[in-house]
Amino acid sequence: MNAELSQEQRRLDSTMETIMEQIGRLEEETGRRRDEVVHIRKHFWDEIKVNTDTFDDYLETIIGLRQQTQELSVSQSTHRHAYNKLSALRRMKDVPYFGRIDFTEEGDSAPENVYIGISTLMDASGEDILIYDWRAPISSVYYDFPPGAAEYMTPEGLIRGILEKKWQYIIRGGTLQSMFDTSLTIGDEILQQVLGKVTDKYMHSIVATIQREQNMIIRHDTGRLLIVQGAAGSGKTSAALQRIAFLLYKYRDRIKADQIILFSPNRMFNSYVSNVLPELGEENMQQVTFQEYLDHRLGKTFQVEGPYEQLEYVLTAGKDPSYETRLAGIRFKTSVPFFETIKAYRQMLESSGMLFKGIFFREKPIVTAEQMTERFYGNDTSIRFYSRLEKLAEWLNKQVAEFGKREWSKPWVEEEIELFSNEEYNEAYTYLRKKRGSEDYEINRKDLGRYIVQRKLKPLRKRIRRLQFVDIAGLYKHLFADSLVIKGETSEKWKEIGLLTLKMLEDGKLFYEDATPFLFLKELIQGFQTNNDIKHVLIDEAQDYSPFQFEFLKRLFPSAKMTVLGDFNQAIFAHASETDDFDILTSLYGADETEVINLTRSYRSTKPLVEFTRGLVSRGERIIPFERDGEKPVLTIVKDHAELHQRIASQVADLRAQKFETIAILCKSAAESSTAFEALSGIEDIKLVKSGSIEYEQGVVVIPAYLAKGIEFDAVIIYDASEGVYGDESLRRLFYTACTRAMHYLQLFSVGEPSGFISCASGLIS
């Protein structure tokens, strides 16, 4: 083995020399290309003679401009290509590759040694590949097959052969520390090392430790919808981010990073995953939360409740008289039946029921709501609904124009003219002279009056153009009128749900569960705002999205494929309390266009921690722990909160002494987090994480469990795992979510009797 190690080190040294030579050459080239770009920009107009006296002169000017622009474009493109390659080589400098396969293709007599890294490396001649990009077709053999018969798909077709051997390398700073000959997908030695490390503030790429089932997610390329149901810590988010890098590599001529959008659970999560794609040499995709999208679309009209505000209410407001009504409303308003109800309601508006807002100017009606209704339903109702609205808008603009003509000579216009400042007068003069197209134009009273009226009526015309004369809020309120009582299990509470909804609307507010239905109704009436530029949508923590929201996103991105990732054991929102899987999503694009991949192995936590947490949920026996040893979780019962805070402070000190970088004190709610943070403020550098937090913090943090989803910590302390806090069955999934955030150590404290959930689990030290 020593001889083989020495031979591999010599091969590594040669590869490093090639990398350093190419880095030196590209540093010189990028510097030269950058200077070229700067020079062309600085002297862009020096080489162009602008002359438009004759058509030939004009044509010569255009040709010169086009040539100079093309030269600049070529220089910029060449510089960008060289810079990107240089960046890739710099990333490869310390760890050029992490694996190797010896593959004999059918028809060949000897195997090819294929080295695999984060990017492709050619030799000095540019003819031979020294390192293959992990996304290259042949690299899939490394992830998918043990030694023996193997195959991979290329654009030209299926390639079959024999995988003779598979090697894994640990390289640090250009030195080969160790190498493994393995028949496993990925040797446990390397994965153990990666998983055994303490965390930092960013998620990192997993290309050296991708498992076969994760590789299926990354390279999946059929159908419209990929659903990944994965246990906590199964690597579904990591695989999805590698999937983006794969798509950008495979379809680099068709898909750019800004054509992929990730809907993430919160802004802090955006920060946490922001490092993965740049680490792989790709630009980050667009990242947004669904709440940010809702605020963008509705924030100017309503104060929109956020998902975590809704969840905080569900977790803390059990004594509110309207609590059960609100829960019933959440469940119905997020359902497919309500989606269909709104579509049926919009269809009904074809013949009756439309509500409009009158057009007023200076408190005088130009067109009343009644006149609009009469006009809308008085014309040919066979015309398409949206076309009828556009015709109504045209008619309204004519009414506003006629009204404006009658206002030109009104006394208020004269008063406005008298109050004109010099600046306003000059602005009016410039506008009117340009409109008349005459340098000799002399301003007069009549033109000035017309200018003032047009300017004052401009906001009305803008509202008409945007179809804002339709009373969407009134129409949504009408959904909850007695005449539209929904039959079924919700019907008993429908009146109460309606009253609660109407009260919020009257206050200029929208419940979170109303935001998407309201926006959907608005789109159905005023025209759907679609985005055809987006080619792929990823939705993380998808179990938190309602069927209604998925239907909406499908319509919003009609040209996109979709990947959704989730775990219904972590479905903590009220609308998903009785749902166990993504079966309902199969109908989104149809069974033929939908693929489901289940990830059951958990890598995040040590084996003792997984054995404990899988006992907290139904069907937890399906979750398979990775063989990584560690301490069992510890339960400590304290008599009161004073002792609780003392014990937590002592525990944090012990964990810090063990060099844990991230320690999370997880609470049931934001309210409990605030209380805990205040009581534990004596702990040095302790931080409170709120729903608006932007960056994932290292160190010691106090955080609501629902905000920690998708994030992992070296050590987790459950603030109070008592029956009094986690006694209700509806909190089981939240409790599971909290406990599965721990990578290496889990401590549960309980003020008094522990939660009944704990007795369901095993592997706990009391």
Side-chain angles (χ1 to χ4, degrees):
M1 185 66 182
N2 287 337
E4 197 148 21
L5 197 64
S6 297
Q7 182 181 340
E8 283 297 320
Q9 182 63 58
R10 287 193 295 273
R11 200 271 181 188
L12 176 60
D13 292 340
S14 174
T15 302
M16 291 295 296
E17 286 179 13
T18 301
I19 290 174
M20 297 310 296
E21 286 172 4
Q22 292 189 19
I23 285 176
R25 178 176 57 78
L26 283 168
E27 283 178 340
E28 187 275 329
E29 183 181 343
T30 53
R32 188 178 72 254
R33 293 295 184 184
R34 183 181 61 248
D35 291 343
E36 281 180 11
V37 171
V38 171
H39 178 81
I40 293 172
R41 285 175 176 171
K42 187 175 180 180
H43 300 282
F44 187 88
W45 294 102
D46 295 353
E47 305 298 323
I48 300 172
K49 296 178 181 179
V50 179
N51 190 341
T52 58
D53 291 346
T54 67
F55 178 75
D56 288 342
D57 292 333
Y58 175 74
L59 191 60
E60 186 179 344
T61 300
I62 293 298
I63 292 171
L65 184 63
R66 184 177 298 165
Q67 289 173 341
Q68 196 73 350
T69 301
Q70 188 174 9
E71 185 181 349
L72 176 60
S73 177
V74 169
S75 293
Q76 287 176 326
S77 178
T78 307
H79 173 261
R80 183 166 56 251
H81 178 76
Y83 180 80
N84 289 341
K85 184 58 182 174
L86 177 61
S87 298
L89 289 168
R90 285 171 173 167
R91 287 191 303 275
M92 297 172 73
K93 192 167 59 173
D94 290 334
V95 186
Y97 46 85
F98 52 79
R100 181 187 113 202
I101 56 173
D102 299 345
F103 184 75
T104 305
E105 187 178 327
E106 277 186 353
D108 291 348
S109 57
E112 178 187 1
N113 296 338
V114 177
Y115 289 80
I116 299 168
I118 63 168
S119 187
T120 300
L121 178 70
M122 307 294 292
D123 68 358
S125 69
E127 295 179 358
D128 293 327
I129 301 176
L130 299 179
I131 301 173
Y132 283 81
D133 191 296
W134 66 277
R135 296 164 291 188
I138 195 171
S139 301
S140 65
V141 173
Y142 176 75
Y143 299 113
D144 287 344
F145 293 95
E151 61 187 30
Y152 63 95
M153 181 60 72
T154 72
E156 290 75 33
L158 189 66
I159 304 296
R160 292 187 174 91
I162 301 296
L163 175 57
E164 310 287 353
K165 283 188 177 181
K166 181 159 60 174
W167 296 89
Q168 299 162 323
Y169 301 94
I170 295 180
I171 299 171
R172 296 291 180 269
T175 300
L176 179 59
Q177 296 183 347
S178 56
M179 58 185 287
F180 305 93
D181 177 3
T182 177
S183 61
L184 301 174
T185 305
I186 295 295
D188 286 354
E189 297 91 343
I190 292 179
L191 196 49
Q192 288 275 13
Q193 287 190 26
V194 171
L195 297 173
K197 291 180 180 178
V198 295
T199 61
D200 61 22
K201 65 189 292 184
Y202 296 112
M203 179 184 280
H204 292 278
S205 72
I206 60 167
V207 291
T209 57
I210 292 169
Q211 304 298 290
R212 183 173 187 175
E213 66 272 18
Q214 294 170 333
N215 197 41
M216 289 171 59
I217 296 166
I218 292 167
R219 296 173 189 264
H220 183 272
D221 204 21
T222 58
R224 290 288 303 276
L225 175 63
L226 173 63
I227 299 172
V228 181
Q229 164 75 29
S234 58
K236 51 188 177 292
T237 300
S238 294
L241 293 170
Q242 288 5 247
R243 174 167 169 73
I244 295 173
F246 173 76
L247 292 171
L248 291 172
Y249 172 85
K250 183 174 182 179
Y251 299 108
R252 51 190 174 274
D253 57 336
R254 280 184 274 168
I255 301 179
K256 305 301 179 188
D258 61 3
Q259 292 177 299
I260 300 175
I261 188 167
L262 167 65
F263 280 90
S264 53
N266 52 59
R267 296 174 72 189
M268 184 175 67
F269 181 85
N270 289 349
S271 167
Y272 179 57
V273 302
S274 64
N275 190 58
V276 176
L277 286 174
E279 201 172 82
L280 295 170
E282 301 291 353
E283 294 180 24
N284 260 320
M285 67 270 136
Q286 295 188 58
Q287 291 176 256
V288 69
T289 67
F290 195 73
Q291 178 64 25
E292 286 173 333
Y293 176 74
L294 292 175
D295 285 337
H296 169 68
R297 296 296 311 278
L298 298 172
K300 292 180 181 179
T301 309
F302 291 102
Q303 181 182 331
V304 183
E305 180 189 47
Y308 297 122
E309 291 176 87
Q310 183 204 73
L311 185 55
E312 193 70 17
Y313 174 87
V314 172
L315 293 174
T316 63
K319 295 181 181 179
D320 187 333
S322 302
Y323 187 75
E324 292 301 326
T325 300
R326 176 81 194 274
L327 288 187
I330 290 172
R331 293 189 184 104
F332 185 71
K333 291 173 183 175
T334 54
S335 68
V336 171
F338 192 52
F339 184 85
E340 296 300 328
T341 295
I342 289 183
K343 286 203 296 185
Y345 177 49
R346 153 61 185 82
Q347 194 64 34
M348 185 194 76
L349 296 176
E350 296 269 358
S351 55
S352 65
M354 273 294 284
L355 299 176
F356 299 102
K357 292 181 282 189
I359 307 291
F360 290 83
F361 181 74
R362 295 175 63 85
E363 299 183 355
K364 292 188 294 186
I366 300 176
V367 182
T368 65
E370 293 75 18
Q371 288 173 309
M372 291 186 208
T373 304
E374 185 179 338
R375 182 85 184 182
F376 185 76
Y377 289 115
N379 288 333
D380 185 2
T381 55
S382 65
I383 300 174
R384 203 164 54 93
F385 185 86
Y386 186 73
S387 298
R388 287 158 64 189
L389 276 180
E390 287 185 320
K391 284 184 172 295
L392 180 59
E394 290 174 11
W395 179 74
L396 289 174
N397 271 321
K398 289 178 181 177
Q399 303 310 303
V400 169
E402 291 298 323
F403 175 84
K405 291 177 183 178
R406 297 193 295 271
E407 293 292 301
W408 292 345
S409 58
K410 294 290 178 68
W412 72 267
V413 177
E414 292 295 322
E415 291 174 12
E416 288 277 340
I417 293 173
E418 295 297 330
L419 294 173
F420 251 31
S421 65
N422 288 337
E423 184 179 346
E424 288 173 318
Y425 185 88
N426 288 332
E427 185 180 317
Y429 175 69
T430 302
Y431 170 82
L432 290 169
R433 185 180 63 181
K434 185 176 180 181
K435 189 175 181 181
R436 296 293 182 186
S438 171
E439 292 293 327
D440 300 327
Y441 171 75
E442 292 186 11
I443 200 166
N444 59 67
R445 206 83 167 174
K446 183 179 179 182
D447 287 349
L448 206 51
R450 187 178 302 171
Y451 167 80
I452 289 170
V453 172
Q454 287 177 341
R455 191 178 63 172
K456 294 288 185 182
L457 291 175
K458 187 175 180 180
L460 290 183
R461 289 194 293 271
K462 186 176 180 181
R463 278 184 56 213
I464 293 169
R465 186 172 67 252
R466 295 179 177 179
L467 305 183
Q468 291 175 347
F469 53 85
V470 180
D471 187 0
I472 305 293
L475 288 167
Y476 192 71
K477 289 176 186 177
H478 190 61
L479 260 174
F480 299 90
D482 289 342
S483 60
L484 289 173
V485 171
I486 307 300
K487 304 298 180 185
E489 59 181 274
T490 314
S491 60
E492 292 181 11
K493 290 189 175 292
W494 187 248
K495 187 174 182 180
E496 289 82 0
I497 291 171
L499 290 172
L500 202 59
T501 307
L502 291 170
K503 184 179 184 305
M504 283 288 282
L505 289 166
E506 292 297 336
D507 292 340
K509 300 175 183 177
L510 271 181
F511 283 132
Y512 181 65
E513 62 268 23
D514 282 303
T516 309
F518 183 92
L519 187 55
F520 182 55
L521 177 62
K522 177 181 171 70
E523 303 277 66
L524 286 177
I525 292 172
Q526 295 182 334
F528 220 91
Q529 292 193 17
T530 58
N531 187 329
N532 284 293
D533 291 333
I534 297 297
K535 302 304 179 188
H536 207 101
V537 175
L538 284 96
I539 302 173
D540 205 356
E541 302 296 345
Q543 73 279 352
D544 295 342
Y545 286 71
S546 69
F548 201 122
Q549 289 170 324
F550 278 113
E551 290 281 1
F552 183 83
L553 288 170
K554 175 188 173 183
R555 286 173 174 255
L556 180 60
F557 302 110
S559 301
K561 292 186 175 183
M562 190 180 290
T563 300
V564 305
L565 322 155
D567 174 17
F568 271 94
N569 284 326
Q570 299 178 66
I572 58 178
F573 283 85
H575 71 263
S577 60
E578 298 174 3
T579 311
D580 292 318
D581 53 44
F582 288 109
D583 281 355
I584 196 168
L585 283 187
T586 306
S587 62
L588 197 65
Y589 294 100
D592 292 343
E593 291 288 330
T594 303
E595 179 83 18
V596 180
I597 297 176
N598 288 294
L599 301 180
T600 56
R601 186 177 294 275
S602 180
Y603 299 96
R604 173 186 297 137
S605 307
T606 60
K607 184 177 180 181
L609 296 187
V610 174
E611 287 177 337
F612 167 70
T613 55
R614 69 181 181 175
L616 297 173
V617 290
S618 63
R619 295 185 288 185
E621 70 280 357
R622 300 181 183 181
I623 301 171
I624 304 167
F626 177 70
E627 291 290 336
R628 182 164 68 90
D629 201 15
E631 295 184 45
K632 290 184 176 182
V634 178
L635 170 65
T636 303
I637 300 173
V638 297
K639 63 180 183 294
D640 55 30
H641 282 84
E643 184 185 355
L644 171 68
H645 300 138
Q646 183 182 359
R647 290 289 193 104
I648 290 177
S650 175
Q651 183 71 70
V652 168
D654 288 346
L655 293 170
R656 276 177 160 167
Q658 295 176 54
K659 305 300 182 184
F660 287 132
E661 294 291 335
T662 55
I663 303 166
I665 301 165
L666 294 184
C667 300
K668 170 185 167 183
S669 63
E672 187 180 69
S673 294
S674 295
T675 301
F677 177 73
E678 187 175 344
L680 298 169
S681 58
I683 297 175
E684 185 180 356
D685 293 331
I686 192 170
K687 305 176 186 73
L688 176 64
V689 179
K690 300 180 180 180
S691 61
S693 297
I694 296 174
E695 190 171 354
Y696 170 58
E697 298 274 8
Q698 276 190 277
V700 182
V701 296
V702 180
I703 179 172
Y706 55 76
L707 281 183
K709 280 205 305 177
I711 298 175
E712 55 196 26
F713 306 91
D714 295 324
V716 164
I717 296 170
I718 304 298
Y719 177 72
D720 185 0
S722 67
E723 181 70 12
V725 176
Y726 289 101
D728 194 284
E729 180 60 29
S730 65
L731 298 170
R732 180 181 291 275
R733 289 171 169 178
L734 181 66
F735 188 69
Y736 170 80
T737 300
C739 293
T740 54
R741 300 306 94 200
M743 290 183 67
H744 310 296
Y745 186 83
L746 175 62
Q747 165 74 62
L748 301 95
F749 287 102
S750 176
V751 181
E753 181 187 357
S755 167
F757 304 146
I758 295 174
S759 62
C760 300
S762 60
L764 187 68
I765 298 175
S766 293

